[in-house]
Amino acid sequence: MQFDKVASLVEQAKQGGATILCGGDPRGETLFYPITLVADITNEAALVQEEQFGPALPIVKYSDIEQALVWANDNPNGLGGSIWSSDSDVANELALRLEAGTIWINRHGLIQPNAPFGGIKQSGVGVEFGIEGLNQNMNIKTVLSYPS
């Protein structure tokens, strides 16, 4: 099912005028989908707007960082995002404004067991990992006992 979803989203992008820079052409009888880079795609494309959980990366051009932030925050999903910049002050300011559960600066996808990880919006509720994640998986019981 996941293979078909990724393949369909890439095909829709292609039909919509996007350019496949690499990948996008699974071969054989396996369910292996190759790493795929998709350029010349709009922010409205399903490949950009949906969480596809596959190796297909849409590359959306922008010329104004404020517009890029509006587009990113307008997405119904909010699992994670990354900001790439040589200016750490700007990157940190943008990270605070980006609506996602986890935001990486100058890397993407690193998950640490000591840091909470989880999404917002349609990307889920709650977190795993870190103290916050442990607390979400606990049932706390209080027993108060008084001498009779």
Side-chain angles (χ1 to χ4, degrees):
M1 181 179 97
Q2 198 60 39
F3 177 90
D4 292 339
K5 181 176 183 175
V6 175
S8 174
L9 289 170
V10 171
E11 186 58 33
Q12 286 175 43
K14 224 182 341 183
Q15 296 300 320
T19 303
I20 308 302
L21 299 178
C22 70
D25 187 21
R27 299 181 186 260
E29 297 292 320
T30 71
L31 293 177
F32 174 79
Y33 199 89
I35 294 172
T36 303
L37 299 179
V38 182
D40 304 319
I41 190 168
T42 67
N43 187 58
E44 294 77 25
L47 184 63
V48 176
Q49 292 296 316
E50 294 183 25
E51 285 183 323
Q52 34 99 354
F53 294 110
L57 178 71
I59 302 168
V60 180
K61 287 184 184 179
Y62 67 91
S63 56
D64 177 75
I65 193 69
E66 290 301 319
Q67 181 61 58
L69 191 63
V70 166
W71 284 343
N73 288 340
D74 189 42
N75 192 290
N77 304 296
L79 183 56
S82 56
I83 296 171
W84 300 79
S85 175
S86 59
D87 187 329
S88 62
D89 291 335
V90 169
N92 281 294
E93 187 267 328
L94 290 170
L96 293 175
R97 295 173 55 204
L98 185 59
E99 296 171 3
T102 301
I103 299 160
W104 296 271
I105 295 177
N106 295 331
R107 67 176 49 214
H108 188 83
L110 177 67
I111 298 173
Q112 299 175 201
N114 63 333
F117 175 77
I120 61 172
K121 301 181 186 181
Q122 291 181 16
S123 294
V125 177
V127 298
E128 56 185 334
F129 306 129
I131 297 299
E132 297 81 357
L134 288 173
N135 287 337
Q136 287 190 16
N137 290 291
M138 292 174 42
N139 291 317
I140 298 173
K141 180 187 285 188
T142 302
V143 176
L144 302 170
S145 177
Y146 300 95
S148 48

